[in-house]
Amino acid sequence: MSLRVFILAGEPSGDRLGGALMAGLRTLRPDVSFEGVGGENMAAQGLRSRFPMQELSVMGIAEVLPKYRHLKRRIQETADAVVAMKPDVLITIDSPDFSLRVAKLVKVASDIRTVHYVAPSVWAWRPGRAVKMAKCIDQVLALLPFEPSYMEAANMECDFVGHPVVAEPQANSQEIAQLRSRFDLGEAPLVLALPGSRRSEVSRLAPVFGAALKAFKQQHPENRIVVPCAAPVAGLVKSHLQDWPEGTIVLDPNAHEAEDFAILKRAAFASADLALAASGTVSLELAAAATPMVIAYRFQWLSWQIMKRMALIDTVTLVNLVSDSRVVPECLGPDCTAENIANRLTEVAKAPQLQKAAMDLTMQRLGRGGEAPGLRAAKAVLSRL
């Protein structure tokens, strides 16, 4: 019998995980078929998304509230589609506010096996989520090596499958040279700016990022600013550029073929001397490219008040957490100001080597040099069916 999989992701990072997992499943089970929700990476593996994934790319409590009714409809529609399909397995990827609600409805109506890819960060806040999750999730695929014990304690099967960032290609010297030539960068030092992949993030972060980079560039005028964008927010980023340093270069995936943009992006990451990034998975992409970084993030007031009271950790940056260090500086919540960010950028620029060991250790612990995480994830799914 063929293998039937319903798979869903709600944001770009989940789409990348989903694409790699689907490729792994195709390698091991060429007879697999997919239905679900995803983005371009999952579409490349044969998924026809039931609706645009961008509808689900919402983060933060205050941000979700205005879209609650629409999201609730999508949750019910998706759960109904899963039950009607009767797949061999439902795989939900991250986006727990959506994914786990779908899984809960599916479990009420059926005995379909459920797998959740990306363990909830119960080690960071709301530890009770693991127990609640166990009521509707059979198996968890964990990206971080310390997560299985938390999931198993809540009576879920859990497999550490590594993080896909360790398998992503890195730029070679020719690609870096082509980037510099294409945008007339010469030998100028580069600063990457990464203000997020969601519109809500960019709207909050672009103004403060622009002001911080202006302040930094006044002290370091030789630096050039490069902004690799996610496709859904490229236009929004460009609309803020009048308040950014003159000559800022935007890498817009909408203006390039997919492979061309992928090369440009990895070349920018590899050639950058420094990066200013929103909190999230991008810190691991920077670590893979050995690019020193400063992490900054602004939340809606309500989201920040709730999260800071519930936090169990003193850092949100995965490089700091995985390496058991605190070498990557953070400007979060009320500390996310142009002055603070500019000062942290200057500090890192003076001693970028201080982050190198932590970035190397992070990549090692996430599985660099081993089997591709997407294939490991596929094997973990199939081994427990």
Side-chain angles (χ1 to χ4, degrees):
M1 292 180 61
S2 62
L3 177 67
R4 303 174 74 228
V5 176
F6 197 105
I7 185 167
L8 62 92
E11 55 189 336
S13 59
D15 177 53
R16 289 194 295 273
L17 290 171
L21 170 56
M22 290 169 70
L25 287 170
R26 283 198 178 284
T27 298
L28 299 170
R29 287 290 301 268
D31 61 340
V32 68
S33 62
F34 300 103
E35 287 191 31
V37 179
E40 58 187 35
N41 289 279
M42 293 165 70
Q45 296 299 324
L47 180 72
R48 185 173 181 179
S49 187
R50 299 184 65 87
F51 55 83
M53 184 189 71
Q54 288 79 7
E55 291 186 18
L56 308 179
S57 295
V58 185
M59 182 178 183
I61 297 160
E63 293 84 348
V64 169
L65 290 176
K67 299 184 178 181
Y68 175 74
R69 288 186 179 178
H70 179 70
L71 290 172
K72 190 173 181 179
R73 280 198 303 274
R74 287 302 196 195
I75 288 166
Q76 187 66 59
E77 290 172 11
T78 305
D80 290 345
V82 177
V83 174
M85 178 188 176
K86 297 180 182 177
D88 297 292
V89 61
L90 164 64
I91 302 175
T92 57
I93 306 173
D94 211 359
S95 301
D97 290 330
F98 182 80
S99 295
L100 298 185
R101 284 175 169 82
V102 170
K104 182 178 179 180
L105 292 174
V106 168
K107 278 298 189 186
V108 168
S110 74
D111 60 355
I112 293 168
R113 181 169 176 80
T114 54
V115 177
H116 189 66
Y117 197 175
V118 184
S121 50
V122 297
W123 36 267
W125 71 308
R126 290 170 58 197
R129 284 178 293 169
V131 174
K132 292 179 181 178
M133 181 175 163
K135 296 176 182 178
C136 62
I137 295 297
D138 299 308
Q139 178 186 7
V140 179
L141 307 178
L143 305 186
L144 307 177
F146 52 78
E147 291 177 322
S149 61
Y150 290 92
M151 301 298 103
E152 290 164 354
N155 295 316
M156 286 178 285
E157 300 164 345
C158 187
D159 299 274
F160 167 60
V161 298
H163 199 288
V165 72
V166 302
E168 292 176 359
Q170 299 299 313
N172 57 41
S173 57
Q174 181 181 0
E175 290 170 341
I176 293 171
Q178 288 174 345
L179 171 81
R180 288 188 169 275
S181 174
R182 187 167 181 171
F183 294 99
D184 195 24
L185 294 170
E187 297 300 317
L190 302 186
V191 179
L192 283 190
L194 300 149
S197 60
R198 304 177 183 89
R199 294 186 66 84
S200 57
E201 290 175 330
V202 173
S203 295
R204 288 195 304 276
L205 293 176
V208 69
F209 273 33
L213 291 166
K214 270 190 171 181
F216 176 77
K217 205 168 185 306
Q218 286 178 352
Q219 302 298 319
H220 308 273
E222 70 281 6
N223 281 266
R224 297 290 303 275
I225 312 299
V226 179
V227 192
C229 293
V233 298
L236 183 59
V237 169
K238 291 177 182 178
S239 73
H240 285 278
L241 287 188
Q242 68 272 16
D243 299 318
W244 282 47
E246 186 176 351
T248 293
I249 296 166
V250 174
L251 302 182
D252 180 355
N254 300 303
H256 302 276
E257 295 294 329
E259 182 56 31
D260 184 36
F261 178 76
I263 292 170
L264 287 174
K265 179 181 175 181
R266 65 177 177 247
F269 273 62
S271 58
D273 300 272
L274 182 62
L276 168 61
S279 174
T281 309
V282 71
S283 70
L284 298 180
E285 295 182 63
L286 292 167
T291 303
M293 70 196 84
V294 172
I295 298 299
Y297 205 84
R298 273 185 175 173
F299 301 85
Q300 291 277 14
W301 182 86
L302 178 60
S303 298
W304 173 252
Q305 295 301 316
I306 293 172
M307 292 176 69
K308 74 177 183 179
R309 285 167 173 77
M310 299 177 72
L312 303 175
I313 52 176
D314 63 346
T315 178
V316 300
T317 302
L318 289 170
V319 173
N320 287 342
L321 288 164
V322 176
S323 66
D324 297 317
S325 71
R326 297 296 182 267
V327 295
V328 176
E330 300 172 331
C331 300
L332 307 176
D335 292 330
C336 183
T337 66
E339 181 181 6
N340 285 343
I341 294 170
N343 288 339
R344 300 295 87 75
L345 287 170
T346 296
E347 291 170 5
V348 175
K350 287 179 179 177
Q353 71 281 359
L354 294 180
Q355 294 186 22
K356 185 180 187 320
M359 292 190 290
D360 286 345
L361 181 57
T362 296
M363 292 300 103
Q364 176 188 327
R365 288 181 172 174
L366 293 182
R368 176 178 274 174
E371 196 169 48
L375 185 60
R376 289 176 64 175
K379 286 183 175 181
V381 171
L382 295 175
S383 71
R384 297 184 187 269
L385 282 180

